Amino acid sequence: MRRFLPTTTSTTSAFLLSLLLAVTAQAAENSQISAADRARAIQAAKQGAIKPAAKKAPARFDFEGEFVNYASWPEVRSFLDEMASRHGFDRAELDALIGKVRYVDTTVQLMKPAPPGKPKNWQAYSARFIEPVRINAGVKFWQENAEALARAEREYGVPANIIVGIIGVETVYGRNTGRFRVLDALTTLAFSYPESPTRAARMAYFKGELENALLFARKDGIDPLTLLGSYAGAIGLPQFMPSSIMKYAVDFDGDSHIDLRNSTADAIGSVAHFLVEHGWKRDDPATIAYPVTVSPSRVWEKFLGAGLAAKFTLAELQQAGVSSVAAPPQNMLYGLIDLQNGSEATEYSLASNNFFAITQYNRSYFYAMSVIDLGKAVSEARAR
């Protein structure tokens, strides 16, 4: 946010200063500042009553890191020994690298489970993604990458609107790819994960991601400390974890190099390839989720929470009291999903195989439905 400094100590300037700060703050969208007051502040700035301070360059890293001597930890030394013996890394170079890694408390705090008792709210979640800024950015992204999107659809059978939806939900088409040093985030989570029932399993997972981050950086000739990403270590426009980059990323722009940070084509092709590898079927119908109503008998509840897969026939679901205004194909399997709305009525849908392929990207009904809805909104805006 740009900061403004008063050139005078008068009451008027102080008032205008506080007012202009409110106008320019990110939360100003919801403020009660009148149009007249906003105009006064802007006019004052133009006349020099309030002068802007010199701009500061944005911080390159978005974290508060602190030095922890990870090199002295036995479990870290054991990990580095394995990297040297299994993958041929120079042990001295690994020691030097780990000496530059920082503990990031922000990643630890963000990994802690949400407080119990807060109800899920699909409408509030959806509103974060199906909004004008993201939709307009999606239209621009589609226009600029129409050829790559069409080619991905031909080669992989994944519609452009689904790819556009995923990249839009993940990073607003590359605007928010994360500014945490990936090595800091992954080392912190691999060896300093917060206390939880799943701590051991999660630490093992992030240790594997740290291993893959080092392998990826070596393979691409990248200084691993220059890799920036999310607080959990996800990288690039599609926010692939390092293991996903190694397994599913593709060179879709034909330059013999995979770059999910700068190549929109590589990001598009990699998203499509990921979905296919996780069960996407090109010949399934374009509609992948059907809104339904459920009967008061609640027999249908046995179909909820049955895992991230389409397992049930339409006849089974209908007999249990699930009905749809549309006519889903009879020859497919479905899952029954619930989209909770806090104190409001829960929404239900029948989800096909391709819906659950999207949940392999992020294991959430809310996420998959937001991808579908954003892709549809961008497609409709593009057609106007």
Side-chain angles (χ1 to χ4, degrees), residues 6 12 15 36 42 47 49 75 112 132 205 212 217 225 282 306-307 326 331-332 337-338 353 356 360:
T12 300
F15 165 74
I42 294 171
Q47 293 175 351
E75 58 269 40
K112 290 181 177 179
Y205 167 76
N212 277 286
L225 290 173
R282 70 162 60 235
N331 61 342
M332 292 176 57
I337 64 169
D338 56 336
N353 172 81
F356 291 110
Q360 301 307 306

Side-chain angles (χ1 to χ4, degrees), residues 277-340:
E277 290 296 311
H278 287 83
W280 185 278
K281 296 180 181 177
R282 70 162 60 235
D283 295 326
D284 277 6
T287 301
I288 59 181
Y290 300 83
V292 296
T293 57
V294 291
S295 70
S297 71
R298 309 195 75 82
V299 176
W300 45 267
E301 284 188 335
K302 64 184 179 182
F303 295 109
L304 292 174
L308 301 179
K311 300 178 179 178
F312 310 110
T313 66
L314 187 59
E316 286 179 292
L317 292 157
Q318 289 173 334
Q319 289 170 9
V322 178
S323 57
S324 174
V325 175
Q330 293 279 346
N331 61 342
M332 292 176 57
L333 297 178
Y334 300 93
L336 180 63
I337 64 169
D338 56 336
L339 302 175
Q340 299 172 32

Side-chain angles (χ1 to χ4, degrees), residues 44-331:
K46 288 180 179 179
Q47 293 175 351
I50 304 171
K51 293 184 178 180
K55 281 187 178 180
K56 290 184 178 181
R60 183 161 183 247
F61 306 127
D62 189 15
F63 69 91
E64 295 179 3
E66 60 183 275
F67 176 73
V68 171
N69 189 14
Y70 277 121
S72 69
W73 292 23
E75 58 269 40
V76 175
R77 291 201 304 270
S78 176
F79 170 79
L80 298 181
D81 287 341
E82 287 185 30
M83 294 298 296
S85 62
R86 289 174 55 197
H87 302 297
F89 281 90
D90 183 278
R91 189 65 170 78
E93 290 180 1
L94 288 176
D95 285 338
L97 182 64
I98 205 70
K100 298 175 183 177
V101 168
R102 296 294 181 265
Y103 166 86
V104 187
D105 189 61
T106 302
T107 69
V108 173
Q109 299 306 319
L110 289 170
M111 280 294 170
K112 290 181 177 179
K118 186 175 181 180
K120 296 180 179 180
N121 191 313
W122 157 242
Q123 292 296 339
Y125 180 96
S126 175
R128 293 164 49 197
F129 301 105
I130 319 305
E131 47 83 27
V133 170
R134 210 172 294 247
I135 292 170
N136 291 336
V139 171
K140 184 173 185 289
F141 180 85
W142 197 326
Q143 290 172 339
E144 292 176 349
N145 297 280
E147 187 278 331
L149 287 163
R151 183 158 54 91
E153 187 163 346
R154 288 194 307 270
E155 294 185 15
Y156 293 105
V158 180
N161 59 287
I162 297 298
I163 300 171
V164 167
I166 286 177
I167 296 177
V169 168
E170 289 292 340
T171 61
V172 198
Y173 308 101
R175 295 186 186 185
N176 302 323
T177 57
R179 292 190 297 124
F180 289 83
R181 289 201 315 189
V182 168
L183 239 57
D184 291 336
L186 293 178
T187 302
T188 298
L189 295 173
F191 300 104
S192 307
Y193 198 87
E195 291 296 333
S196 72
T198 61
R199 184 172 189 261
R202 297 301 287 164
M203 288 175 70
Y205 167 76
F206 282 109
K207 193 180 296 183
E209 293 301 334
L210 178 58
E211 176 183 7
N212 277 286
L214 292 169
L215 291 170
F216 164 63
R218 183 175 68 175
K219 175 175 172 286
D220 266 29
I222 299 169
D223 177 353
L225 290 173
T226 67
L227 283 173
L228 303 183
S230 75
Y231 70 90
I235 297 169
L237 278 81
Q239 292 291 274
F240 271 24
M241 294 298 287
S243 62
S244 289
I245 295 177
M246 297 297 286
K247 293 177 185 176
Y248 308 116
V250 297
D251 170 24
F252 208 58
D253 61 13
D255 68 352
S256 302
H257 176 68
I258 296 172
D259 184 1
L260 300 186
R261 298 184 291 175
N262 302 297
S263 171
T264 55
D266 286 357
I268 287 166
S270 297
V271 168
H273 184 232
F274 179 97
L275 290 176
V276 169
E277 290 296 311
H278 287 83
W280 185 278
K281 296 180 181 177
R282 70 162 60 235
D283 295 326
D284 277 6
T287 301
I288 59 181
Y290 300 83
V292 296
T293 57
V294 291
S295 70
S297 71
R298 309 195 75 82
V299 176
W300 45 267
E301 284 188 335
K302 64 184 179 182
F303 295 109
L304 292 174
L308 301 179
K311 300 178 179 178
F312 310 110
T313 66
L314 187 59
E316 286 179 292
L317 292 157
Q318 289 173 334
Q319 289 170 9
V322 178
S323 57
S324 174
V325 175
Q330 293 279 346
N331 61 342

